[in-house]
Amino acid sequence: MGGPHEPMQQLPDITELLRLSKTRAEDGAKPLRVALLADTAPQILASAIRGMARACGVALELFEEFNQTELQVFDPGSDLYAFKPSTVMIYFAGERLADHFCGLKIEERRNLAETFMRNIRQLHGALATRGCETIVFNLTTPRDGVFGNFGNKVNSSLTYQVRMINCELMRYAEGAGDFHVYDLNGLQARQGEALTDPRLYCSAKIAIAPDCTAIVARDLIEMLTVRRGGGRKCLILDLDNTLWGGVIGDDGMERIQIGDLGLGYAFSRLQGWLKQLKERGIVLAVCSKNDDANAREPFLSHPDMKLRLDDIAVFMANWKDKATNIRAIRQVIDVGMDAIVFLDDNPVERQLIKESFPDMCVPDLPEDPCEYLPFIQNLNLFETSSWTATDVERTASYQSEARRLEASEKYVNEDDFLSSLEMRGTVKPFVRFDFPRVAQLTQRSNQFNLRTVRYSEKQIEELAASSQHRTFSVSLQDKFGSYGLISVVILDRQDDAYFIDTWLMSCRVLKRGVEALVLNSIVAAAREDGVKEIIGEYLPTAKNGMVARHYDTLGFTPIEAGRWKLATDDYKPRQCQIAVEREAEFQQTNA
Amino acid sequence: MVTGQDTDAVWSQLEGIFREVMDDPGITIQETTTASDISRWDSITHVLLILAVEKKFKVKFRTTEIQSLQNVGELVALIRSKRS
């Protein structure tokens, strides 16, 4: 069984999950604290979630409660709050709603969606004030034969109201950063009748058939872990018989299969979906054994190709082995191995990649290209907890990075190269426009992250307004393009010192001198506030080894294990090759 | 026709299911075994046990049949009646 990021193509069955749920979690990692509130019997689903967390190596504490959702959420002294959950999952079953619906008058039936959503808003409001995130399961589509298809025209039918509710949940979630929807209805579309066993529902109020709980549990664990820095960010693609049918080097442009006809349509559909992933912010790279010119030709001039060269961040077509090429791709796209998915029709290549990079996600594609797309869609590999403008720009920014890399090879001297980049940096306190990106960085940055504290958008907003804190967001651009917002610092005033609560940076700007720029800004801010000392702390994780000596490198003095200090009085601003735009903004926003 | 051998096979397969679902390789079952004899036989494992039995023996039970079971012997009889 793999780590949290390896997709489990063969999910453990419920018996195995039950067994795992009773094993002890490994000590160490701070557990996710999650509650499941349901109006149907939650025990089997809860066991599945616990078992799946163990199977994925995720530390998780789960609190479950049956039929007490409102009581637990609206009572500040409830067991729920004593448990201190960070996320509360609310599962109102469609079956229960159908029971409730029977007893309503026609007028009340027409208002069901409105009544339901009012309750949801109140539940979410109460949870939000307690700092909990909310995940609500949407409703399964009822087997509602009362009106037949005519029910779609009758607003007092259950079908009509359930679909309204599902739409309203999406609309509400769109405007609330800490409110998420689990798409149980989407799972029902794939599982159909298998999702519910009417015998278990009638006799034990078990709404999700035990055999399906593994999938629900897998999905929920993905949703819960992705906001703690998980999430896949890059998809590496083979070409021949993966993106099109046939072999471009042998068959040539005229005979590769792509387009609306025959098997080509399967590849067109896949490409259309990949293009959407790219637009969402998943970075696409090509890794293919081909002559470079041959491999590029369809992207340049085949009329039926949906993917074009500018959709691909890094294009590696040569005769080297794929592991070597993947290492080269990661020179540009420096995400963790566990954030990469590798798509290749050839089982031999897949096996080699699995052996070379055990953390990488390598789905075993079915043999029939028509099945590629539904197969990979069902794996739900690209769960995310946010979506910002930066995501959309990501491919372009990696393309700039590839050009930078090319340019850097011309310079022997690092300083000459940096100076040739003509970098400009902006340092400013968190502003509303940046809250989503700042929160996302705290959730996703794992490597250059001194204390790995995760913040929600709402918490970022609170920090921005707090008089006890100073916040810094750093953006960088150079002659090749913008890197966007790439570094975040949060200072916490503790007596006469500023404690560095958060210092993180995107690895895309390593070795650019951003740390020096940031430290200069931190000290300048401290001096403005008359603060004499800066305290830094390093909390080691499995991934942040690269910053273990961060504070030593920047001239801090060790106090004790994992803690350093810096006196602001005798600090001399550090040299860096980035032109700064800072003071003006600071004074404005703090005025 | 149900032969003695068939019954033996049902017993040993059923014992295997009990051991797997209850996660206890030491479990042995007899005609008179009930939930009170096996500590891990609770409401959850009961549901999983019944579903595993259905899958293994390719049978489907009615709710009333499941609810009226008094002991393992009756479960075996039910499996046999569904398969004959």
Side-chain angles (χ1 to χ4, degrees):
Chain A
M1 199 82 34
H5 306 291
E6 186 179 326
M8 277 179 282
Q9 297 171 38
Q10 282 292 318
L11 293 179
D13 70 12
I14 181 63
T15 303
E16 173 69 5
L17 289 175
L18 181 65
R19 190 187 66 73
L20 284 168
S21 74
K22 291 175 181 162
T23 59
R24 263 171 50 87
E26 292 150 44
D27 291 335
K30 199 174 152 214
L32 283 166
R33 302 187 68 81
V34 180
L36 171 64
L37 306 177
D39 61 356
T40 52
Q43 293 85 355
I44 290 184
L45 179 56
S47 296
I49 294 168
R50 286 192 187 96
M52 191 61 75
R54 298 280 182 281
C56 298
V58 174
L60 175 131
E61 293 285 335
L62 184 72
F63 169 95
E64 86 227 42
E65 196 62 72
F66 174 36
N67 247 353
Q68 292 200 6
T69 304
E70 286 81 4
L71 282 175
Q72 292 286 339
V73 173
F74 295 132
D75 172 11
S78 67
D79 294 346
L80 171 72
Y81 295 124
F83 172 76
K84 295 196 187 337
S86 58
T87 305
V88 176
M89 309 189 289
I90 297 177
Y91 173 28
F92 289 131
E95 289 80 0
R96 297 294 278 170
L97 194 69
D99 296 344
H100 172 68
F101 189 79
C102 298
L104 298 179
K105 300 188 184 79
I106 295 288
E107 201 45 46
E108 292 167 331
R109 289 181 184 180
R110 282 193 189 107
N111 292 328
L112 181 70
E114 212 182 303
T115 318
F116 185 92
M117 286 308 297
R118 192 178 310 133
N119 190 35
I120 292 288
R121 284 193 298 271
Q122 284 168 356
L123 289 166
H124 168 236
L127 290 170
T129 58
R130 302 295 298 245
C132 304
E133 293 212 38
T134 307
I135 295 178
V136 171
F137 289 38
N138 67 6
L139 297 171
T140 50
T141 304
R143 302 179 184 91
D144 177 29
V146 174
F147 283 95
N149 289 290
F150 198 77
N152 289 283
K153 285 160 69 82
V154 179
N155 70 3
S156 60
S157 80
L158 182 59
T159 302
Y160 193 105
Q161 292 295 323
V162 163
R163 293 202 169 124
M164 289 260 288
I165 287 170
N166 285 347
C167 281
E168 291 297 325
L169 283 171
M170 291 194 287
R171 258 189 237 172
Y172 185 63
E174 228 184 330
D178 58 354
F179 180 92
H180 307 268
V181 178
Y182 172 58
D183 193 3
L184 185 65
N185 188 273
L187 182 63
Q188 182 194 25
R190 303 198 291 279
Q191 295 293 323
E193 297 290 317
L195 186 64
T196 308
D197 185 331
R199 299 171 303 169
L200 296 181
Y201 178 64
C202 287
S203 60
K205 294 285 182 294
I206 296 168
I208 299 174
D211 279 348
C212 288
T213 51
I215 308 174
V216 178
R218 192 261 328 257
D219 289 351
L220 292 173
I221 295 288
E222 288 261 352
M223 283 181 82
L224 292 165
T225 51
V226 77
R227 70 201 59 203
R228 293 222 306 190
R232 298 191 183 82
K233 296 159 189 164
C234 171
L235 181 54
I236 300 181
L237 303 159
D238 171 53
L239 297 179
D240 294 330
N241 289 313
T242 302
L243 282 197
W244 53 68
V247 177
I248 184 69
D250 297 338
D251 299 326
M253 283 276 283
E254 307 74 34
R255 285 197 301 278
I256 58 166
Q257 293 165 302
I258 180 82
D260 287 342
L261 296 175
L263 202 53
Y265 186 52
F267 296 100
S268 284
R269 276 166 39 100
L270 178 66
Q271 286 199 14
W273 186 71
L274 295 173
K275 189 153 178 123
Q276 289 177 63
L277 283 183
K278 178 254 165 178
E279 286 159 359
R280 195 209 96 179
I282 302 296
V283 179
L284 304 182
V286 161
C287 176
S288 164
K289 286 184 176 164
N290 257 310
D291 280 332
D292 187 68
N294 278 346
R296 285 175 190 260
E297 201 185 351
F299 290 90
L300 288 167
S301 55
H302 197 297
D304 294 325
M305 285 284 290
K306 297 210 190 294
L307 291 175
R308 294 293 170 186
L309 268 191
D310 61 7
D311 295 317
I312 309 295
V314 184
F315 199 99
M316 284 282 173
N318 53 46
W319 299 98
K320 291 181 203 161
D321 71 283
K322 293 206 171 184
T324 305
N325 279 330
I326 286 175
R327 286 190 193 99
I329 289 171
R330 284 193 70 226
Q331 294 267 303
V332 178
I333 306 171
D334 49 2
V335 297
M337 277 297 174
D338 55 10
I340 301 179
V341 181
F342 176 77
L343 222 56
D344 196 318
D345 68 299
N346 184 336
V348 178
E349 296 285 7
R350 291 201 300 257
Q351 192 52 39
L352 283 171
I353 295 306
K354 283 183 202 173
E355 282 163 19
S356 305
F357 311 114
D359 289 340
M360 194 179 287
C361 161
V362 184
D364 285 318
L365 285 181
E367 289 183 8
D368 189 332
C370 296
E371 289 172 8
Y372 289 177
L373 180 60
F375 173 80
I376 190 162
Q377 286 171 330
N378 277 347
L379 289 178
N380 190 35
L381 296 176
F382 299 101
E383 196 62 65
T384 184
S385 62
S386 61
W387 189 54
T388 68
T390 311
D391 290 303
V392 181
E393 301 302 324
R394 190 166 292 130
T395 296
S397 82
Y398 280 120
Q399 285 164 341
S400 316
E401 185 57 23
R403 286 196 292 277
R404 270 178 210 117
L405 203 63
E406 211 175 305
S408 76
E409 283 160 8
K410 291 186 207 143
Y411 291 91
V412 185
N413 183 314
E414 180 95 14
D415 273 345
D416 291 346
F417 165 61
L418 289 181
S419 125
S420 79
L421 287 176
E422 300 163 20
M423 291 182 287
R424 293 182 310 276
T426 309
V427 185
K428 59 181 184 186
F430 299 166
V431 293
R432 179 160 301 280
F433 175 77
D434 292 329
F435 293 162
R437 171 64 178 161
V438 170
Q440 189 189 50
L441 274 173
T442 71
Q443 287 157 18
R444 289 194 183 171
S445 300
N446 295 315
Q447 300 181 80
F448 195 115
N449 196 339
L450 273 298
R451 296 182 71 246
T452 322
V453 187
R454 311 298 194 192
Y455 288 114
S456 68
E457 244 179 88
K458 192 161 185 295
Q459 291 169 316
I460 290 298
E461 187 176 348
E462 286 162 8
L463 285 165
S466 159
S467 58
Q468 195 192 317
H469 295 85
R470 286 209 67 159
T471 62
F472 305 74
S473 69
V474 185
S475 306
L476 186 69
Q477 57 178 2
D478 65 18
K479 67 175 179 184
F480 291 103
S482 170
Y483 296 85
L485 201 169
I486 40 79
S487 185
V488 170
V489 172
I490 299 168
L491 302 181
D492 182 7
R493 179 75 179 255
Q494 296 183 352
D495 303 323
D496 292 332
Y498 267 132
F499 175 72
I500 304 177
D501 169 88
T502 291
W503 188 339
L504 63 82
M505 192 177 83
S506 160
C507 290
R508 292 189 295 135
V509 294
L510 281 176
K511 296 190 186 168
R512 294 281 187 274
V514 175
E515 301 93 314
L517 169 74
V518 170
L519 184 58
N520 291 347
S521 305
I522 290 175
V523 174
R527 282 179 177 162
E528 269 173 43
D529 298 347
V531 171
K532 302 278 180 209
E533 201 168 62
I534 315 279
I535 310 282
E537 187 177 50
Y538 167 65
L539 299 178
T541 68
K543 290 185 169 179
N544 71 353
M546 70 157 64
V547 287
R549 295 185 40 79
H550 175 72
Y551 289 117
D552 293 315
T553 314
L554 287 175
F556 282 60
T557 317
I559 314 173
E560 55 190 320
R563 278 174 87 93
W564 291 260
K565 65 178 180 183
L566 180 78
T568 57
D569 277 346
D570 39 342
Y571 177 81
K572 289 186 190 58
R574 301 182 77 85
Q575 288 292 319
C576 77
Q577 304 254 26
I578 307 169
V580 204
E581 296 155 27
R582 174 166 53 87
E583 272 73 20
E585 304 234 15
F586 256 102
Q587 272 146 23
Q588 255 173 22
T589 39
N590 290 322
Chain B
M1 270 299 285
V2 179
T3 66
Q5 226 174 0
D6 262 357
T7 310
D8 285 348
V10 169
W11 273 104
S12 72
Q13 285 179 328
L14 186 61
E15 200 163 67
I17 293 171
F18 267 88
R19 289 172 180 180
E20 203 192 320
V21 172
M22 313 292 171
D23 190 30
D24 179 357
I27 288 179
T28 54
I29 50 171
Q30 294 166 330
E31 293 267 352
T32 54
T33 304
T34 66
S36 55
D37 299 320
I38 296 176
S39 62
R40 291 190 182 168
W41 193 346
D42 56 22
S43 60
I44 293 181
T45 51
H46 180 72
V47 168
L48 301 187
L49 180 80
I50 296 295
L51 293 175
V53 167
E54 287 190 330
K55 235 181 259 176
K56 184 81 180 180
F57 295 103
K58 298 191 174 62
V59 295
K60 189 165 179 189
F61 303 128
R62 291 200 301 271
T63 307
T64 48
E65 291 169 338
I66 301 168
Q67 285 174 342
S68 63
L69 292 174
Q70 296 297 321
N71 57 34
V72 171
E74 291 188 16
L75 177 58
V76 172
L78 182 62
I79 295 167
R80 285 174 51 193
S81 74
K82 293 271 173 183
R83 275 156 50 100
S84 57

